[in-house]
Amino acid sequence: ETGVTQSPTHLIKTRGQQVTLRCSSQSGHNTVSWYQQALGQGPQFIFQYYREEENGRGNFPPRFSGLQFPNYSSELNVNALELDDSALYLCASQDWYQETQYFGPGTRLLVL
Amino acid sequence: DQQVKQNSPSLSVQEGRISILNCDYTNSMFDYFLWYKKYPAEGPTFLISISSIKDKNEDGRFTVFLNKSAKHLSLHIVPSQPGDSAVYFCAASGGGATNKLIFGTGTLLAVQP
């Protein structure tokens, strides 16, 4: 059974640029959530996708957007990058009818 | 407004002794609680969970206790091992339309050999 994978592992961008992060969900999971973890903080919920539709969003601006594909993989897009967007971005997958979310290794984004 | 709080940023215990990590929450709508362990440069790893209809769940060396009246849960690790040294996050779900997780800020556990 393949776990949650994310790419890339690390990324450096400059302010104002756009970035796309990718996530492959664990086999059998149809729901993907994205989280942002700033240094010294717990992960903060960005949004969740189920059946290719956004199913809930945290307190993040519209320049954070996402997609889920028919194979349940997902993308997180961030436009107009700001310095405060520097963080670890985590993807988690789950079966819709189960409570436990399983996390990938994360993508470390640095905005200069 | 932090709905899940871990008030101890760090904890140090001796190998073989018990580690107790604590977590408090404010939202009485939460109905499922989880503990994750995180090593540097890795994603959180699921450890153990508990539904609000229970007050205890055990899995090997790990036991989670839930006190709903006090809105408090704790993770007990017995016996503690050096490999348990990591950041532990408490998380809760069930407070809204999605099953999003609300995390605490984490507790760094150091198990001394």
Side-chain angles (χ1 to χ4, degrees), chain B residues 6-70:
Chain B
Q6 294 177 257
N7 293 317
S8 298
S10 63
L11 176 67
S12 181
V13 300
Q14 288 295 121
E15 181 179 5
R17 307 295 290 268
I18 184 170
S19 295
I20 300 176
L21 297 101
N22 294 303
C23 178
D24 297 296
Y25 62 95
T26 58
N27 189 338
S28 58
M29 296 296 292
F30 289 147
D31 59 9
Y32 197 75
F33 302 88
L34 309 91
W35 285 93
Y36 287 87
K37 177 169 79 170
K38 188 178 185 301
Y39 294 117
E42 293 185 14
T45 300
F46 170 70
L47 269 179
I48 192 169
S49 61
I50 188 167
S51 165
S52 62
I53 63 173
K54 296 184 176 181
D55 54 18
K56 177 183 175 181
N57 189 27
E58 194 171 355
D59 184 2
R61 296 186 298 115
F62 302 92
T63 303
V64 56
F65 295 92
L66 176 61
N67 182 334
K68 288 186 290 295
S69 60

Side-chain angles (χ1 to χ4, degrees), chain A residues 99, chain B residues 27-32 92-102:
Chain A
E99 296 278 359
Chain B
N27 189 338
S28 58
M29 296 296 292
F30 289 147
D31 59 9
Y32 197 75
S93 71
T98 69
N99 45 11
K100 68 179 181 182
L101 296 179
I102 308 294

Side-chain angles (χ1 to χ4, degrees), chain A residues 31 35 37 40-45 48 55-57 88 90 94 96 98-106, chain B residues 2 31-32 34 36 38 41-46 49 89 93-94 97-106:
Chain A
T31 304
Y35 294 81
Q37 186 180 14
Q41 301 296 317
Q44 299 288 318
F45 175 74
Q48 183 179 85
N55 177 58
R57 188 179 185 90
L88 178 68
L90 295 162
Q94 71 190 105
W96 176 253
Q98 302 295 323
E99 296 278 359
T100 302
Q101 297 184 21
Y102 296 90
F103 284 83
Chain B
Q2 192 152 4
D31 59 9
Y32 197 75
L34 309 91
Y36 287 87
K38 188 178 185 301
E42 293 185 14
T45 300
F46 170 70
S49 61
F89 289 99
S93 71
T98 69
N99 45 11
K100 68 179 181 182
L101 296 179
I102 308 294
F103 282 84
T105 52

Side-chain angles (χ1 to χ4, degrees), chain A:
Chain A
E1 183 179 275
T2 307
V4 180
T5 61
Q6 292 185 243
S7 64
T9 55
H10 295 83
L11 205 50
I12 300 176
K13 291 286 189 179
T14 56
R15 195 170 47 183
Q17 285 189 311
Q18 178 265 345
V19 69
T20 297
L21 310 182
R22 295 179 175 82
C23 170
S24 291
S25 60
Q26 184 169 313
S27 175
H29 288 177
N30 53 19
T31 304
V32 172
S33 301
W34 286 91
Y35 294 81
Q36 180 196 65
Q37 186 180 14
L39 207 58
Q41 301 296 317
Q44 299 288 318
F45 175 74
I46 303 175
F47 43 55
Q48 183 179 85
Y49 278 84
Y50 171 62
R51 290 186 174 179
E52 302 176 55
E53 297 284 335
E54 186 179 289
N55 177 58
R57 188 179 185 90
N59 189 25
F60 282 82
R63 58 190 185 84
F64 285 78
S65 62
L67 285 172
Q68 186 181 32
F69 301 99
N71 66 353
Y72 306 127
S73 66
S74 178
E75 286 182 356
L76 164 65
N77 299 290
V78 187
N79 293 322
L81 284 167
E82 300 178 359
L83 298 180
D84 284 349
D85 295 333
S86 296
L88 178 68
Y89 288 85
L90 295 162
C91 168
S93 75
Q94 71 190 105
D95 180 272
W96 176 253
Y97 297 104
Q98 302 295 323
E99 296 278 359
T100 302
Q101 297 184 21
Y102 296 90
F103 284 83
T107 294
R108 174 74 61 186
L109 173 65
L110 177 61
V111 182
L112 301 176

